């Protein structure tokens, strides 16, 4: 994925058959990363790869889509006694169009305080190789995102995309900030028996 | 694509579509200007909110966007026919049409026309096309003074500055800066001028009024050219355009060839899309439309200069030509997180922001791997906000990726591969084989030796040092707890587990014999017995509130949930172990 988005599409074509052809056979696949298949299907330059990617993406759901749309569940019985803010990542929002499904799931989590993130829909500045090739600009975007995250007073920032979390989390730990990043799936899977401690840094 | 991307040989250095350094370098300096960042953050935020309100009022906004896209696509497919029609209609109504292949030709035509009138000064309506060809400088070389009459363009001209935004060229300046500039540069300005917007506008108005009444020649751009009647359209807010288009004796309009629309019906769509997208207004205050020359009313001579300057080359690419659909509303600039932080000057071209990053390289062509405009397609995190707001649905992120691909293709042809090429080739080699991928994962665990204390890596070698200069990197993961489904070798502990699973399929799970073997995977990932206390166990939910349901949850959804009848009996005999030691989380 990063290779394709950086212009190395021939490189990606060589790699892609591995994930797409050997992808799990069941009719429903749960994909935690919001990025992969939809973007692949959209960007795929060569037709054969595009067809395969589309075949896979037809039976692929983003986690919150799977839970809310396919399984019809909003309350997954999770327990997470923390103050949490949610960053709707660019690919969740504008490629996969998951809308407010993650928020609907999060609102049902027991003992959790969900805090609204200002300017939530602005990119955190990750953008794959953009973070390295335009590191200063990427950092400026990250700084504003972190300012908003820290301003909410949340202990935990969550999102449905591991790469955004790596970026925001990397910035927060560098600042020794009191906010950590936890994947949406970890929050939804955390329980009272587990102590609601998913993702302790 | 590559041919179009490499472009026609435009005159080197001509035009205002290329800066003198790459985007990352210019952006680094711009980011250090806290005044600029404050001005831009405030201004783009205000316009964003206005646009969102104006667009939200229309129920059929998406249909309008689709119509705009369809009209532009159909027009581009037969652009030659529409241009010839436009020329014929303008000529039939007393105008003169000139064709300019590039910057030099366009400037020569306009300069010649002005010199023919004997005028030594002229007034200008805000126009991107004349900014693109650097007309003011060319006229100055010929001894002709051009007066910008748009307030923002006037600010730019007085400050000897360059526009940093398509619609609001002086967006990088705030009121205090403008007041200082007026006091310094505007002849005859009231020295008690304050930074109140109204007072600033009045000062500019007094200054411009004298010029309007004096000027005999005007130069304008055009937002649209309607082919069926040879009509030109200028959409503006301040009324300066109306003055320029009606008062002088001679009117010269420079229009990019992509601005033509076939008919008035098509114009209707764009006159709804443009004001709401650009200034967030339902309708802009002034829309001026003229067709050739009308005796006794307005200019007595009208010249239309049709500018190519790389547009034909861009049109040659079936996908890249989408960038020519742009109606210069600048909505993409206002939502772009990169633009908001770096400002327009970092892009080098007078077309900044997301659309500039796809348009400028296509218009100029990329002449070498080190071409400054080659860095523009990379000046985006591909967040997609630009595509969502574009009134003609230009898929800017996809175009950016396409331009990157073309640039990489050109770089591959070099005798010495770049560091990035080597990295990508290595990654492809590793990732195209499951065995090699697994081996690489094992090797990457060496990275765990670093950053052991903090659990994060705070410094990495180049080029990843660009990441760790401001962010920690995650430590590579330890050995996997289970094999991935994507083709790794069979799990080592398989025989015993297989026997247990086979037996349980036959007999169902044994009471008191530990968790159901089918739950093995679940258990290994999170070393706890499911026993009804995991989140999965409560799902699918049957009761309504979380609090009411939790104590009753006693079934494991993996092995025991209703529906998976093959694997049998509930595993609920084990007493809930409240004091079970909590194991460390990954």
């Amino acid at each position: 994925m990063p290779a394709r988005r950086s212009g190395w599409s021939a490189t990606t074509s060589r790699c892609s058959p591995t994930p797409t052809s050997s992808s799990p056979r069941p009719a429903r696949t749960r994909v935690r990363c919001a990025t992969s298949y939809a973007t692949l299907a959209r960007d795929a330059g060569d037709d054969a790869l595009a067809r395969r990617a589309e075949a896979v993406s037809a039976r692929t759901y983003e986690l919150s889509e799977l839970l809310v749309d396919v399984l019809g569940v909003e309350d997954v019985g999770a327990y997470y006694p923390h103050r949490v803010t949610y960053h709707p990542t660019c690919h969740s929002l504008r490629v996969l169009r998951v809308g407010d499904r993650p928020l609907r799931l999060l609102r049902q989590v027991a003992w959790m305080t969900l805090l609204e993130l200002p300017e939530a829909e602005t990119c955190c500045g990750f953008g794959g190789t953009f973070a390295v090739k335009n590191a200063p600009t990427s950092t400026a975007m990250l700084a504003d995102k972190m300012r908003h995250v820290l301003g909410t007073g949340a202990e935990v920032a969550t999102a449905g995309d591991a790469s955004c979390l790596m970026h925001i989390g990397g910035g927060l730990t560098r600042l020794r900030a009191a906010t950590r990043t936890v994947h949406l799936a970890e929050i939804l899977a955390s329980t009272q028996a587990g102590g609601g401690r998913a993702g302790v840094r | 694509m590559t041919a179009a991307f490499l472009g026609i040989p435009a005159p080197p250095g001509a035009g205002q579509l290329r800066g003198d350094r790459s985007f990352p370098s210019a952006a680094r300096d711009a980011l250090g200007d806290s005044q600029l960042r404050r001005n831009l953050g405030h201004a783009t935020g205000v316009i964003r909110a206005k646009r969102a309100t104006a667009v939200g009022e229309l129920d059929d906004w998406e249909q309008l966007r689709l119509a705009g896209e369809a009209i532009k696509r159909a027009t581009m497919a037969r652009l030659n026919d529409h241009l010839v029609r436009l020329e014929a209609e303008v000529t039939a109504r007393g105008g003169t049409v000139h064709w300019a292949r590039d910057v030099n030709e366009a400037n020569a035509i306009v300069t010649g026309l002005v010199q023919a009138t004997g005028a030594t000064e002229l007034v200008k309506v805000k126009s991107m096309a004349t900014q693109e060809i650097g007309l003011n400088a060319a006229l100055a070389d010929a001894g002709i003074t051009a007066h910008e009459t748009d307030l923002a363009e006037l600010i730019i001209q007085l400050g000897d500055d360059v526009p940093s935004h398509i619609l609001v060229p002086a967006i990088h300046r705030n009121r205090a800066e403008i007041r200082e500039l007026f006091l310094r540069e505007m002849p005859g300005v009231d020295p008690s001028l304050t930074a109140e917007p109204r007072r600033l506008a009045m000062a500019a108005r007094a200054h411009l009024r004298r010029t309007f009444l004096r000027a005999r020649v005007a130069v304008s751009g055009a937002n649209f050219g309607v082919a069926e009647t040879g009509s030109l359209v200028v959409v503006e807010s301040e009324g300066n355009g109306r003055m320029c288009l009606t008062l002088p004796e001679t009117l010269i309009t420079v229009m990019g060839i992509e601005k033509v629309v076939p008919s008035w019906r098509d114009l209707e769509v764009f006159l709804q899309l443009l004001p709401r997208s650009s200034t967030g207004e339902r309708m802009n205050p002034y829309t001026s439309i003229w067709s050739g020359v009308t005796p006794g009313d307005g200019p007595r001579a009208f010249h239309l200069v049709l500018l190519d300057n790389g547009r034909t080359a861009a049109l040659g690419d079936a996908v890249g030509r989408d960038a020519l659909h742009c109606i210069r509303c600048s909505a993409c600039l206002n939502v772009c997180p990169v633009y908001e932080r770096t400002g327009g000057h970092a892009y080098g071209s007078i077309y900044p922001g997301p659309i500039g990053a796809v348009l400028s390289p296509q218009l100029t062509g990329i002449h070498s791997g080190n071409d400054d405009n080659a860095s523009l397609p990379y000046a985006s995190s591909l967040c997609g906000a630009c595509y969502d707001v574009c009134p003609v649905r230009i898929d800017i992120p996809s175009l950016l990726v396409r331009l990157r691909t073309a640039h990489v293709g050109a770089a591959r042809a070099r005798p010495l591969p770049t560091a990035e090429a080597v990295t990508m080739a290595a990654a492809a080699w590793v990732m195209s084989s499951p065995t090699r991928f697994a081996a690489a994962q094992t090797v990457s665990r060496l990275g765990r030796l670093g950053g052991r204390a903090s659990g994060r890596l705070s410094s990495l070698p180049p080029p990843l040092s660009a990441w760790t200069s401001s962010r920690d990197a995650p430590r590579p993961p330890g050995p996997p707890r289970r094999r991935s489904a994507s083709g790794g070798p069979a799990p080592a502990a398989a025989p015993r587990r297989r026997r247990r699973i086979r037996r349980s399929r036959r007999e169902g799970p044994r009471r008191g014999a530990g968790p159901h073997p089918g739950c093995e995977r679940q258990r290994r990932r999170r070393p706890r017995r499911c026993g009804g206390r995991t989140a999965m166990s409560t799902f699918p939910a049957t009761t309504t509130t979380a609090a009411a349901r939790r104590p009753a949850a006693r079934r494991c959804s993996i092995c025991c949930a209703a529906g998976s009848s093959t694997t049998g009996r509930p595993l609920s005999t084990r007493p809930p172990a409240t004091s079970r030691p909590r194991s460390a989380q990954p």
Side-chain angles (χ1 to χ4, degrees), chain A residues 5 7-9 11 77 90 94 97 123 130-131 133-134 138-139 144 167 170 173-174 189 191, chain B residues 23 341 378 380-381 383 388 404-405 412 420-421 424 456 458 468 470-472 526 535 549-550:
Chain A
R5 305 288 275 177
W8 297 84
S9 69
T11 308
C90 300
R94 288 181 277 262
R97 310 269 175 199
C123 176
F130 172 79
K133 288 187 176 177
N134 279 289
S138 169
T139 303
D144 288 339
H167 192 232
T173 56
R174 175 61 59 90
T191 59
Chain B
F23 180 83
R341 281 154 190 90
Y378 298 94
S380 167
S381 66
C383 80
D388 272 15
R404 292 178 186 186
T405 308
R412 275 173 194 275
E420 190 186 6
M424 290 295 178
R456 314 280 299 185
S458 56
T468 50
S470 57
R471 293 148 288 205
D472 290 338
R526 287 181 305 168
R549 196 191 54 246
R550 195 153 292 109

Short mmCIF file of all heavy atoms in Angstrom, two decimals, chain A residues 5 7-9 11 77 90 94 97 123 130-131 133-134 138-139 144 167 170 173-174 189 191, chain B residues 23 341 378 380-381 383 388 404-405 412 420-421 424 456 458 468 470-472 526 535 549-550:
data_model
loop_
_atom_site.label_atom_id
_atom_site.label_comp_id
_atom_site.label_asym_id
_atom_site.label_seq_id
_atom_site.Cartn_x
_atom_site.Cartn_y
_atom_site.Cartn_z
N ARG A 5 0.85 4.07 -3.13
CA ARG A 5 0.49 5.46 -2.91
C ARG A 5 1.66 6.39 -3.15
O ARG A 5 1.47 7.57 -3.30
CB ARG A 5 -0.03 5.66 -1.48
CG ARG A 5 -1.17 4.74 -1.13
CD ARG A 5 -2.43 5.11 -1.82
NE ARG A 5 -3.16 6.13 -1.08
CZ ARG A 5 -4.28 6.67 -1.53
NH1 ARG A 5 -4.77 6.31 -2.69
NH2 ARG A 5 -4.90 7.57 -0.82
N GLY A 7 3.67 5.95 -5.68
CA GLY A 7 3.96 5.94 -7.10
C GLY A 7 4.62 4.67 -7.60
O GLY A 7 4.87 4.54 -8.78
N TRP A 8 4.93 3.73 -6.70
CA TRP A 8 5.61 2.51 -7.12
C TRP A 8 4.58 1.43 -7.43
O TRP A 8 4.55 0.39 -6.79
CB TRP A 8 6.59 2.06 -6.04
CG TRP A 8 7.67 3.06 -5.82
CD1 TRP A 8 7.61 4.17 -5.03
CD2 TRP A 8 8.94 3.09 -6.44
NE1 TRP A 8 8.77 4.89 -5.13
CE2 TRP A 8 9.62 4.25 -5.97
CE3 TRP A 8 9.61 2.26 -7.35
CZ2 TRP A 8 10.90 4.58 -6.39
CZ3 TRP A 8 10.89 2.61 -7.75
CH2 TRP A 8 11.52 3.75 -7.28
N SER A 9 3.76 1.67 -8.45
CA SER A 9 2.65 0.75 -8.68
C SER A 9 3.13 -0.58 -9.22
O SER A 9 2.57 -1.63 -8.89
CB SER A 9 1.63 1.38 -9.61
OG SER A 9 2.17 1.48 -10.90
N THR A 11 5.82 -2.06 -8.47
CA THR A 11 6.31 -2.76 -7.29
C THR A 11 5.14 -3.39 -6.54
O THR A 11 5.19 -4.55 -6.14
CB THR A 11 7.00 -1.75 -6.35
OG1 THR A 11 7.95 -1.04 -7.12
CG2 THR A 11 7.67 -2.44 -5.21
N GLY A 77 -20.82 -5.14 24.33
CA GLY A 77 -20.61 -5.59 25.70
C GLY A 77 -19.23 -5.27 26.22
O GLY A 77 -18.75 -5.89 27.16
N CYS A 90 -8.78 9.48 7.78
CA CYS A 90 -9.16 9.91 6.43
C CYS A 90 -9.71 8.76 5.60
O CYS A 90 -10.69 8.92 4.88
CB CYS A 90 -7.95 10.50 5.71
SG CYS A 90 -7.28 11.92 6.57
N ARG A 94 -13.30 8.96 4.25
CA ARG A 94 -13.48 9.43 2.87
C ARG A 94 -13.25 8.35 1.81
O ARG A 94 -13.56 8.58 0.64
CB ARG A 94 -12.58 10.63 2.61
CG ARG A 94 -13.08 11.88 3.34
CD ARG A 94 -12.23 13.08 3.06
NE ARG A 94 -11.06 13.12 3.92
CZ ARG A 94 -10.98 13.84 5.04
NH1 ARG A 94 -11.99 14.58 5.41
NH2 ARG A 94 -9.90 13.81 5.77
N ARG A 97 -15.95 5.35 3.89
CA ARG A 97 -17.22 5.99 4.26
C ARG A 97 -17.91 5.24 5.40
O ARG A 97 -19.07 4.86 5.28
CB ARG A 97 -18.16 6.07 3.06
CG ARG A 97 -17.55 6.66 1.81
CD ARG A 97 -17.73 8.14 1.75
NE ARG A 97 -17.00 8.69 0.58
CZ ARG A 97 -16.67 9.96 0.47
NH1 ARG A 97 -16.97 10.82 1.40
NH2 ARG A 97 -16.03 10.40 -0.58
N CYS A 123 -6.81 15.60 8.58
CA CYS A 123 -5.78 14.55 8.52
C CYS A 123 -4.73 14.77 9.62
O CYS A 123 -4.38 15.90 9.94
CB CYS A 123 -5.11 14.62 7.15
SG CYS A 123 -3.75 13.49 6.93
N PHE A 130 4.66 10.27 2.78
CA PHE A 130 4.55 11.72 3.01
C PHE A 130 5.19 12.10 4.34
O PHE A 130 5.84 13.14 4.45
CB PHE A 130 3.07 12.12 2.98
CG PHE A 130 2.79 13.56 3.38
CD1 PHE A 130 3.00 14.59 2.48
CD2 PHE A 130 2.30 13.85 4.64
CE1 PHE A 130 2.74 15.91 2.84
CE2 PHE A 130 2.03 15.17 5.00
CZ PHE A 130 2.26 16.19 4.09
N ALA A 131 5.01 11.24 5.34
CA ALA A 131 5.53 11.52 6.68
C ALA A 131 7.05 11.62 6.69
O ALA A 131 7.64 12.23 7.58
CB ALA A 131 5.06 10.47 7.67
N LYS A 133 8.92 12.04 3.42
CA LYS A 133 9.34 12.94 2.34
C LYS A 133 9.03 14.39 2.66
O LYS A 133 9.72 15.28 2.20
CB LYS A 133 8.65 12.55 1.04
CG LYS A 133 9.17 11.26 0.46
CD LYS A 133 8.56 11.00 -0.91
CE LYS A 133 9.18 9.75 -1.51
NZ LYS A 133 8.59 9.43 -2.79
N ASN A 134 7.94 14.63 3.36
CA ASN A 134 7.60 15.99 3.76
C ASN A 134 7.46 16.01 5.28
O ASN A 134 6.44 16.44 5.82
CB ASN A 134 6.30 16.43 3.08
CG ASN A 134 6.53 16.89 1.66
OD1 ASN A 134 7.10 17.95 1.42
ND2 ASN A 134 6.10 16.09 0.71
N SER A 138 4.32 17.23 7.64
CA SER A 138 3.62 16.16 8.33
C SER A 138 3.61 16.42 9.84
O SER A 138 2.59 16.26 10.52
CB SER A 138 4.32 14.84 8.02
OG SER A 138 3.86 13.82 8.85
N THR A 139 4.75 16.86 10.35
CA THR A 139 4.85 17.14 11.79
C THR A 139 3.97 18.31 12.20
O THR A 139 3.36 18.30 13.26
CB THR A 139 6.32 17.42 12.17
OG1 THR A 139 7.10 16.29 11.77
CG2 THR A 139 6.48 17.64 13.65
N ASP A 144 -0.90 19.96 15.31
CA ASP A 144 -2.25 20.47 15.50
C ASP A 144 -3.20 19.36 15.95
O ASP A 144 -4.07 19.57 16.79
CB ASP A 144 -2.76 21.11 14.20
CG ASP A 144 -2.07 22.44 13.93
OD1 ASP A 144 -1.54 23.03 14.89
OD2 ASP A 144 -2.05 22.88 12.77
N HIS A 167 1.22 7.09 14.02
CA HIS A 167 1.70 8.46 13.85
C HIS A 167 1.37 9.32 15.07
O HIS A 167 2.25 9.93 15.67
CB HIS A 167 1.04 9.05 12.59
CG HIS A 167 1.65 10.33 12.13
ND1 HIS A 167 0.90 11.45 11.89
CD2 HIS A 167 2.93 10.66 11.88
CE1 HIS A 167 1.71 12.41 11.50
NE2 HIS A 167 2.93 11.97 11.47
N GLY A 170 3.16 8.00 18.11
CA GLY A 170 4.59 8.32 18.07
C GLY A 170 4.86 9.74 18.52
O GLY A 170 5.84 10.02 19.21
N THR A 173 4.07 9.94 22.50
CA THR A 173 5.10 9.38 23.39
C THR A 173 6.36 10.24 23.37
O THR A 173 7.04 10.38 24.37
CB THR A 173 5.48 7.94 23.02
OG1 THR A 173 5.90 7.91 21.67
CG2 THR A 173 4.33 6.99 23.23
N ARG A 174 6.63 10.85 22.20
CA ARG A 174 7.80 11.72 22.15
C ARG A 174 7.66 12.89 23.12
O ARG A 174 8.62 13.35 23.73
CB ARG A 174 7.99 12.23 20.71
CG ARG A 174 9.09 13.23 20.51
CD ARG A 174 10.45 12.70 20.90
NE ARG A 174 10.86 11.54 20.16
CZ ARG A 174 11.54 11.55 19.01
NH1 ARG A 174 11.86 12.69 18.46
NH2 ARG A 174 11.89 10.43 18.43
N ALA A 189 -12.91 -4.89 22.43
CA ALA A 189 -12.67 -6.24 22.93
C ALA A 189 -12.31 -6.25 24.41
O ALA A 189 -12.09 -7.31 24.98
CB ALA A 189 -11.55 -6.89 22.12
N THR A 191 -12.77 -5.99 28.43
CA THR A 191 -13.88 -6.41 29.29
C THR A 191 -13.57 -6.11 30.74
O THR A 191 -12.44 -5.81 31.11
CB THR A 191 -14.09 -7.93 29.18
OG1 THR A 191 -12.87 -8.57 29.58
CG2 THR A 191 -14.44 -8.34 27.78
N PHE B 23 9.20 21.65 -3.24
CA PHE B 23 8.18 21.90 -2.21
C PHE B 23 8.69 21.65 -0.79
O PHE B 23 8.49 22.50 0.08
CB PHE B 23 6.93 21.06 -2.49
CG PHE B 23 5.86 21.25 -1.47
CD1 PHE B 23 4.98 22.31 -1.55
CD2 PHE B 23 5.74 20.39 -0.39
CE1 PHE B 23 4.01 22.52 -0.60
CE2 PHE B 23 4.77 20.58 0.59
CZ PHE B 23 3.90 21.65 0.48
N ARG B 341 -1.11 24.78 6.23
CA ARG B 341 0.08 24.96 7.04
C ARG B 341 1.25 25.58 6.29
O ARG B 341 2.05 26.30 6.86
CB ARG B 341 0.46 23.64 7.68
CG ARG B 341 -0.42 23.38 8.89
CD ARG B 341 -0.60 21.93 9.24
NE ARG B 341 -1.65 21.82 10.25
CZ ARG B 341 -2.93 21.65 9.97
NH1 ARG B 341 -3.35 21.55 8.72
NH2 ARG B 341 -3.83 21.59 10.93
N TYR B 378 3.94 14.94 -4.53
CA TYR B 378 4.19 14.31 -3.22
C TYR B 378 3.77 15.22 -2.06
O TYR B 378 3.86 14.83 -0.90
CB TYR B 378 5.67 13.95 -3.08
CG TYR B 378 6.13 12.95 -4.12
CD1 TYR B 378 6.70 13.35 -5.31
CD2 TYR B 378 5.94 11.58 -3.91
CE1 TYR B 378 7.09 12.44 -6.28
CE2 TYR B 378 6.32 10.66 -4.85
CZ TYR B 378 6.90 11.10 -6.04
OH TYR B 378 7.27 10.18 -6.98
N SER B 380 1.22 15.96 -0.54
CA SER B 380 -0.14 15.65 -0.10
C SER B 380 -0.11 14.38 0.73
O SER B 380 0.62 13.45 0.41
CB SER B 380 -1.04 15.44 -1.32
OG SER B 380 -2.26 14.86 -0.92
N SER B 381 -0.93 14.36 1.77
CA SER B 381 -1.05 13.13 2.56
C SER B 381 -2.17 12.26 1.99
O SER B 381 -2.50 11.24 2.57
CB SER B 381 -1.32 13.45 4.03
OG SER B 381 -2.59 14.06 4.16
N CYS B 383 -5.32 12.73 1.88
CA CYS B 383 -6.39 12.54 2.85
C CYS B 383 -7.77 12.57 2.19
O CYS B 383 -8.75 12.15 2.78
CB CYS B 383 -6.32 13.60 3.96
SG CYS B 383 -6.99 15.20 3.52
N ASP B 388 -13.66 15.50 -1.91
CA ASP B 388 -15.01 15.63 -1.35
C ASP B 388 -15.63 17.00 -1.61
O ASP B 388 -16.84 17.11 -1.73
CB ASP B 388 -14.98 15.38 0.17
CG ASP B 388 -15.13 13.92 0.50
OD1 ASP B 388 -14.98 13.10 -0.43
OD2 ASP B 388 -15.40 13.60 1.67
N ARG B 404 2.66 10.60 -9.44
CA ARG B 404 3.79 9.97 -8.74
C ARG B 404 4.27 8.75 -9.51
O ARG B 404 5.47 8.54 -9.66
CB ARG B 404 3.36 9.53 -7.33
CG ARG B 404 3.05 10.69 -6.40
CD ARG B 404 2.58 10.20 -5.04
NE ARG B 404 2.16 11.32 -4.20
CZ ARG B 404 1.81 11.21 -2.92
NH1 ARG B 404 1.84 10.03 -2.33
NH2 ARG B 404 1.44 12.27 -2.23
N THR B 405 3.31 7.95 -10.00
CA THR B 405 3.67 6.76 -10.75
C THR B 405 4.48 7.12 -11.99
O THR B 405 5.49 6.48 -12.30
CB THR B 405 2.40 6.00 -11.15
OG1 THR B 405 1.60 5.79 -9.99
CG2 THR B 405 2.73 4.66 -11.77
N ARG B 412 13.03 5.40 -12.90
CA ARG B 412 13.54 4.05 -13.12
C ARG B 412 14.51 4.00 -14.30
O ARG B 412 15.38 3.14 -14.35
CB ARG B 412 12.39 3.10 -13.44
CG ARG B 412 11.68 2.52 -12.25
CD ARG B 412 10.48 1.76 -12.78
NE ARG B 412 9.54 1.43 -11.73
CZ ARG B 412 9.65 0.35 -10.97
NH1 ARG B 412 10.64 -0.48 -11.15
NH2 ARG B 412 8.77 0.12 -10.03
N GLU B 420 15.42 5.23 -2.78
CA GLU B 420 14.03 4.82 -2.66
C GLU B 420 13.75 3.64 -3.59
O GLU B 420 13.05 2.69 -3.22
CB GLU B 420 13.12 5.99 -3.02
CG GLU B 420 11.67 5.72 -2.69
CD GLU B 420 10.74 6.82 -3.17
OE1 GLU B 420 11.21 7.74 -3.86
OE2 GLU B 420 9.55 6.73 -2.87
N ALA B 421 14.35 3.67 -4.80
CA ALA B 421 14.14 2.57 -5.75
C ALA B 421 14.67 1.27 -5.17
O ALA B 421 14.04 0.21 -5.29
CB ALA B 421 14.82 2.90 -7.07
N MET B 424 12.31 0.07 -2.40
CA MET B 424 11.07 -0.48 -2.91
C MET B 424 11.30 -1.84 -3.57
O MET B 424 10.49 -2.75 -3.43
CB MET B 424 10.43 0.49 -3.92
CG MET B 424 9.89 1.75 -3.29
SD MET B 424 8.50 1.42 -2.18
CE MET B 424 8.14 3.07 -1.58
N ARG B 456 9.59 2.17 22.80
CA ARG B 456 9.49 2.89 21.54
C ARG B 456 10.90 3.16 21.03
O ARG B 456 11.84 3.23 21.81
CB ARG B 456 8.79 4.25 21.72
CG ARG B 456 7.55 4.24 22.51
CD ARG B 456 6.36 3.78 21.75
NE ARG B 456 6.05 4.61 20.60
CZ ARG B 456 4.97 4.43 19.83
NH1 ARG B 456 4.12 3.47 20.11
NH2 ARG B 456 4.75 5.19 18.80
N SER B 458 13.29 5.85 19.46
CA SER B 458 13.28 7.30 19.32
C SER B 458 14.29 7.79 18.29
O SER B 458 14.36 8.98 18.01
CB SER B 458 13.52 7.98 20.66
OG SER B 458 14.71 7.51 21.20
N THR B 468 11.70 9.83 12.88
CA THR B 468 12.02 9.91 14.31
C THR B 468 12.52 11.29 14.73
O THR B 468 12.76 11.52 15.90
CB THR B 468 13.07 8.84 14.70
OG1 THR B 468 14.15 8.91 13.77
CG2 THR B 468 12.47 7.46 14.66
N SER B 470 10.73 13.76 14.83
CA SER B 470 9.66 14.37 15.61
C SER B 470 8.70 13.36 16.23
O SER B 470 7.80 13.72 16.93
CB SER B 470 8.86 15.34 14.72
OG SER B 470 8.35 14.66 13.61
N ARG B 471 8.90 12.07 15.89
CA ARG B 471 7.96 11.06 16.37
C ARG B 471 8.72 9.82 16.79
O ARG B 471 9.73 9.48 16.16
CB ARG B 471 6.99 10.66 15.23
CG ARG B 471 6.08 11.76 14.83
CD ARG B 471 5.74 11.67 13.36
NE ARG B 471 6.87 12.03 12.52
CZ ARG B 471 6.75 12.50 11.28
NH1 ARG B 471 5.58 12.64 10.73
NH2 ARG B 471 7.82 12.81 10.58
N ASP B 472 8.24 9.13 17.80
CA ASP B 472 8.80 7.82 18.11
C ASP B 472 8.27 6.81 17.11
O ASP B 472 7.21 6.99 16.52
CB ASP B 472 8.39 7.40 19.52
CG ASP B 472 9.07 8.25 20.59
OD1 ASP B 472 10.13 8.82 20.28
OD2 ASP B 472 8.54 8.33 21.71
N ARG B 526 -5.49 -13.96 23.76
CA ARG B 526 -5.67 -13.26 25.03
C ARG B 526 -5.67 -14.32 26.11
O ARG B 526 -6.65 -15.05 26.25
CB ARG B 526 -6.98 -12.48 25.03
CG ARG B 526 -6.88 -11.26 24.16
CD ARG B 526 -8.16 -10.51 24.22
NE ARG B 526 -9.27 -11.39 23.87
CZ ARG B 526 -10.54 -11.06 24.07
NH1 ARG B 526 -10.82 -9.93 24.62
NH2 ARG B 526 -11.50 -11.88 23.71
N ALA B 535 -15.55 -10.23 25.97
CA ALA B 535 -16.54 -9.43 25.25
C ALA B 535 -17.22 -10.27 24.20
O ALA B 535 -18.41 -10.15 23.97
CB ALA B 535 -15.86 -8.25 24.59
N ARG B 549 -27.00 -6.82 31.07
CA ARG B 549 -26.63 -8.04 30.42
C ARG B 549 -25.37 -8.68 30.98
O ARG B 549 -25.22 -9.88 31.01
CB ARG B 549 -26.41 -7.78 28.92
CG ARG B 549 -26.38 -9.04 28.13
CD ARG B 549 -25.90 -8.77 26.74
NE ARG B 549 -24.62 -8.09 26.77
CZ ARG B 549 -24.45 -6.86 26.36
NH1 ARG B 549 -25.45 -6.18 25.89
NH2 ARG B 549 -23.27 -6.32 26.43
N ARG B 550 -24.46 -7.86 31.46
CA ARG B 550 -23.13 -8.37 31.74
C ARG B 550 -23.07 -9.57 32.70
O ARG B 550 -22.46 -10.57 32.39
CB ARG B 550 -22.21 -7.24 32.20
CG ARG B 550 -20.76 -7.61 32.16
CD ARG B 550 -19.88 -6.41 31.96
NE ARG B 550 -20.03 -5.82 30.65
CZ ARG B 550 -20.61 -4.65 30.40
NH1 ARG B 550 -21.10 -3.96 31.38
NH2 ARG B 550 -20.71 -4.21 29.20
#
